[in-house]
Amino acid sequence: VMKKAVAHLIPFMEEEKRLAKLANPDAEETSSHAGCMVLATVKGDVHDIGKNIVAVVLGCNNFKVVDLGVMVPYEKILDAAVEHKADIIGLSGLITPSLDEMVTVAKKMEERNMKLPLLIGGATTSKMHTAVKLTPQYSGPIIYVLDASRSVPVCQSLMDKANVDDFVQDIKDQYTELREEFYTNLEDRKYLTLEEARKKACVLDFSLPENKPFVPNFVGTKVIDDFAFDDILQAIDWNPFFQTWQLRGRYPNRGYPKIFKDETVGEEAKKLFDDAQKMLAQFKEKKSLKMVAILGIYPANSQGDDILVYKDEERQEVTHTFYTLRQQAEKDNSDPYMALSDFIAPADSGVKDYLGMFVCSSGFGLEDVIEECRGNHDDYGIIMAEALADRLAEAIAEVLHQRVRKEDWGYASGESLSLNDLLKVKYDGIRPAPGYPSQPDHTEKLAMWDIMEVEAKTNVQLTESLAMLPAASVSGLYFGGKNSQYFSVGKICKDQLQDYAQRKKMDLKECEKWLSHSLNYEP
C-alpha cells in the first residue's frame, strides 16, 4: 500500500523539486532520504528473494534503494554507486561461486579507493567468510548481515555520523578475532592424506542382497511436463517458505503448521499462508507457471573416486564421468571417509549398477507474474511469487523422486510414505546436488546438462557461475542403493585438489577457484 501511495505521489514530488530548482538555481539539492543504497545480486547468480525483501524493508524506513537486479558485474555496481552518490553498497548471493565474486567486488572497490560501507548477505554467505575472505581485500567497512530485518539497524548505524566510527571499529574488531580463530582452528585440524582416506573408504559388498543394484524399469532420458498442479501442492514443504519471510515460531510451535499457534508470529504467519493460497489458486487458474522436469537413468559403475556412465548396457563405451570428492578431515571414530562413488558398484566387481539424475523447474512464466506485480507497484506480490515458485520447484523434485523410486527406476515400488516422512528422507536412496556438501563442485552440473541435453530439451540454462536459470529450478543425482547416504565432504587438502584437477583435466587454478570454499589451505 505504501509503495503504491509513494508511486502516486512521485510525479508531484518531482514537479515540486523542479519548480524549487527554477526558483533558486544556486541552491544545493538536499535529500529527504535516510540514505542511499545500491543493491545487487552479483554476477552469475540469479536469486533475489532476500535482496528484494531488503529493498522493501529499507524503502519502508526511508532509504533510497537503487536495485540493479541479478547477475550484475562489479563495474555496473561500482559505477552505479558513484552515479547515485550511494552511501552504502549491498551485495547478495545464494550459490558458492558468488562468494568469489563478492571478493572481486571488494578488491575492485579498494582499487578505486572507495570508502563506502559494503554489506554482504545471502544464503551462502556468513560472518566467518566475510571476516576471513572479504575484509582483507578492502580497507572500508564490510559488514555481514544475517537477514533482511537486520539490514535496517545496520544501515541506520552507518548513517549515524556521531557514532559510525565506533560502530565500524567494533565490527572490525569482531572480524579480526573471527579471522584469528579461523586460522588457529585450521592449523589445529588434522587431515588424512588422500591415499590414507581412500584406504578407509566406505566399502560395500555389492554381491549381498541388500546392496545388489536394482535393474531400472526405464533406462535413458525423458522429459515430464504433465505434472498435476494439485499433486505438486500436496508436496510443498512450508517451513522454508516461512523462513524466507523470517517468521520463526518458538518451541513448541516451531514449524508448519504449529507456527500458527505461536503467540508472537502465529497471526502473521496465518495471514501470509492465506495470501499464499490465494496466489497459488491464481497460478492454477491462469496456468501462470510452466512446470517441467527431465530425468535420466543410465548404466554406471565406479572407478576409484569417479563414476563412469556408459553408452548402453554393453558397458564398453564411457560417455561421461562424474568426479567425486572424498572426506579427509580426521575422525575420532572408525567411520569411513566417504565419497559418492562409494555408493556405486566398482567396474571390476562385475556388478551392473546405475546412476540417475534430474533437473526440474517451476520458473517459466514467473517473470510475467513479476512484471504484472511490478506494474502494480506490488513488492509484496513479487516476493510472494518468487517464494512460491521456489517452493513449487522443490515440491516437483520431491514428487519426481518418489515417482522414480516407485516407477521409472522401481526399486521401491511398494513405498508408502507420508509427506512428513518424505521430507525427513525416510526413503531408500539419495539425491545429492552439485554445489552442496556431498559434492561441493558446481562444475559437475556440466556433465548432467550434457548427457541429458537439458537446455535443448527443457530450456533450463546454466549461468557462467553455474546457477540455474530460471532461478526456481532444482537439480541433482539419484543414487538408488539402500546404503547410500548424505554426508559433508568438508575441507580437502592440496593432494586431493591436485588429483581431482588431473582427473577432470582442469587447470589447477581454475579448480581451486571453483572449490575455494572447500580447501584447507589458501591458494
Side-chain angles (χ1 to χ4, degrees):
V1 174
M2 181 186 293
K3 187 75 178 286
K4 290 177 181 177
V6 170
H8 177 73
L9 291 172
I10 280 174
F12 300 99
M13 294 160 67
E14 292 296 329
E15 178 64 11
E16 188 176 333
K17 274 204 287 188
R18 188 185 70 82
L19 293 173
K21 185 75 174 171
L22 285 173
N24 190 359
D26 297 326
E28 220 175 275
E29 191 171 322
T30 58
S31 173
S32 60
H33 293 107
C36 175
M37 174 187 271
V38 165
L39 191 60
T41 298
V42 296
K43 184 176 77 170
D45 205 327
V46 297
H47 298 86
D48 66 349
I49 298 179
K51 174 181 68 63
N52 290 343
I53 294 176
V54 168
V56 172
V57 171
L58 286 176
C60 290
N61 283 273
N62 199 34
F63 279 83
K64 177 184 177 182
V65 179
V66 180
D67 189 345
L68 301 180
V70 300
M71 296 196 291
V72 187
Y74 74 84
E75 300 96 336
K76 185 174 179 181
I77 296 170
L78 304 191
D79 290 347
V82 174
E83 177 189 347
H84 295 279
K85 298 178 182 177
D87 300 296
I88 304 166
I89 295 175
L91 302 181
S92 176
L94 180 75
I95 59 173
T96 46
S98 295
L99 299 176
D100 294 328
E101 188 58 31
M102 290 176 180
V103 171
T104 298
V105 175
K107 286 180 178 177
K108 297 301 179 181
M109 289 178 73
E110 185 69 15
E111 288 177 12
R112 293 194 186 191
N113 294 315
M114 299 179 82
K115 300 299 177 187
L116 294 180
L118 178 62
L119 267 54
I120 301 296
T124 195
T125 60
S126 69
K127 186 182 284 189
M128 185 64 82
H129 178 269
T130 304
V132 173
K133 298 289 188 181
L134 285 168
T135 53
Q137 308 300 334
Y138 180 53
S139 55
I142 300 186
I143 303 172
Y144 166 70
V145 182
L146 178 63
D147 57 42
S149 64
R150 315 286 175 94
S151 63
V152 174
V154 169
C155 289
Q156 288 172 338
S157 296
L158 289 170
M159 297 305 295
D160 179 2
K161 292 180 181 179
N163 299 299
V164 64
D165 291 342
D166 289 341
F167 175 71
V168 168
Q169 189 57 50
D170 183 53
I171 297 287
K172 284 188 174 181
D173 291 344
Q174 286 181 43
Y175 288 4
T176 298
E177 289 177 17
L178 278 173
R179 198 159 52 251
E180 290 170 353
E181 177 190 329
F182 173 82
Y183 285 115
T184 299
N185 291 340
L186 209 57
E187 290 173 8
D188 293 343
R189 194 75 193 262
K190 292 181 171 63
Y191 294 85
L192 273 62
T193 65
L194 179 58
E195 185 180 356
E196 290 169 338
R198 283 171 172 166
K199 287 177 181 176
K200 296 185 177 183
C202 174
V203 179
L204 300 174
D205 184 348
F206 287 91
S207 66
L208 296 176
E210 62 265 30
N211 293 329
K212 187 177 179 182
F214 188 92
V215 178
N217 295 326
F218 168 81
V219 174
T221 309
K222 68 166 68 170
V223 174
I224 303 161
D225 57 7
D226 59 350
F227 292 101
F229 196 83
D230 288 343
D231 289 347
I232 304 302
L233 290 188
Q234 294 302 315
I236 288 179
D237 180 0
W238 286 102
N239 289 314
F241 172 79
F242 291 112
Q243 290 163 14
T244 296
W245 294 91
Q246 293 157 31
L247 293 177
R248 296 175 179 88
R250 294 182 180 274
Y251 179 84
N253 295 316
R254 287 182 180 275
Y256 169 80
K258 293 179 182 177
I259 191 173
F260 299 143
K261 298 177 183 177
D262 188 84
E263 288 183 9
T264 307
V265 303
E267 187 177 343
E268 285 305 313
K270 187 63 171 69
K271 287 180 187 174
L272 193 69
F273 183 76
D274 290 344
D275 287 346
Q277 299 309 305
K278 291 174 187 173
M279 183 169 278
L280 287 170
Q282 290 175 4
F283 285 172
K284 180 180 177 180
E285 181 186 349
K286 297 180 180 179
K287 297 181 180 177
S288 306
L289 304 182
K290 177 187 174 186
M291 298 186 288
V292 64
I294 186 169
L295 75 90
I297 303 174
Y298 310 102
N301 282 110
S302 64
Q303 187 174 73
D305 292 351
D306 301 334
I307 300 171
L308 312 178
V309 175
Y310 300 107
K311 180 181 179 182
D312 51 39
E313 284 288 12
E314 296 298 316
R315 298 177 185 254
Q316 297 299 310
E317 184 182 340
V318 176
T319 63
H320 295 78
T321 302
F322 287 87
Y323 302 92
T324 74
L325 292 163
R326 188 169 297 281
Q327 295 172 316
Q328 282 188 276
E330 189 175 65
K331 303 182 181 186
D332 56 7
N333 52 37
S334 59
D335 287 351
Y337 291 73
M338 291 188 283
L340 286 172
S341 59
D342 294 343
F343 308 139
I344 300 288
D348 59 9
S349 69
V351 177
K352 294 182 176 182
D353 210 339
Y354 300 85
L355 179 71
M357 59 198 71
F358 76 98
V359 176
C360 63
S361 180
S362 60
F364 295 104
L366 180 61
E367 277 304 313
D368 293 336
V369 175
I370 289 172
E371 281 306 311
E372 183 178 342
C373 292
R374 191 171 283 129
N376 294 325
H377 305 287
D378 183 6
D379 286 336
Y380 176 69
I382 291 172
I383 297 166
M384 177 68 78
E386 290 180 325
L388 289 176
D390 277 358
R391 289 298 87 222
L392 289 169
E394 294 287 354
I396 295 169
E398 203 65 71
V399 168
L400 181 63
H401 194 188
Q402 185 176 52
R403 169 180 162 162
V404 167
R405 294 192 303 272
K406 297 178 72 171
E407 300 172 22
D408 299 289
W409 199 324
Y411 63 81
S413 57
E415 176 184 293
S416 179
L417 296 173
S418 66
L419 173 62
N420 198 39
D421 286 340
L422 289 176
L423 297 178
K424 289 180 178 177
V425 195
K426 292 193 175 181
Y427 47 76
D428 289 338
I430 57 175
R431 59 168 192 271
Y436 285 81
S438 299
Q439 171 43 293
D441 183 7
H442 280 274
T443 68
E444 287 298 290
K445 289 178 191 166
L446 295 170
M448 295 169 57
W449 257 250
D450 190 50
I451 192 171
M452 291 192 289
E453 299 178 318
V454 174
E455 186 171 344
K457 292 180 178 177
T458 68
N459 205 30
V460 179
Q461 303 168 24
L462 294 173
T463 70
E464 59 190 301
S465 293
L466 302 181
M468 289 172 285
L469 198 62
S473 302
V474 180
S475 65
L477 300 172
Y478 289 136
F479 291 77
K482 286 185 178 181
N483 285 305
S484 57
Q485 58 183 285
Y486 292 105
F487 62 91
S488 177
V489 169
K491 299 290 185 184
I492 64 170
C493 305
K494 194 160 191 174
D495 62 340
Q496 178 160 199
L497 194 283
Q498 290 171 333
D499 181 86
Y500 186 72
Q502 187 175 18
R503 282 154 42 210
K504 283 176 74 81
K505 296 180 175 61
M506 180 183 280
D507 176 75
L508 186 66
K509 291 295 181 186
E510 181 75 2
C511 203
E512 284 179 329
K513 185 195 87 170
W514 284 103
L515 288 169
S516 60
H517 54 285
S518 297
L519 305 179
N520 81 331
Y521 66 94
E522 288 292 328

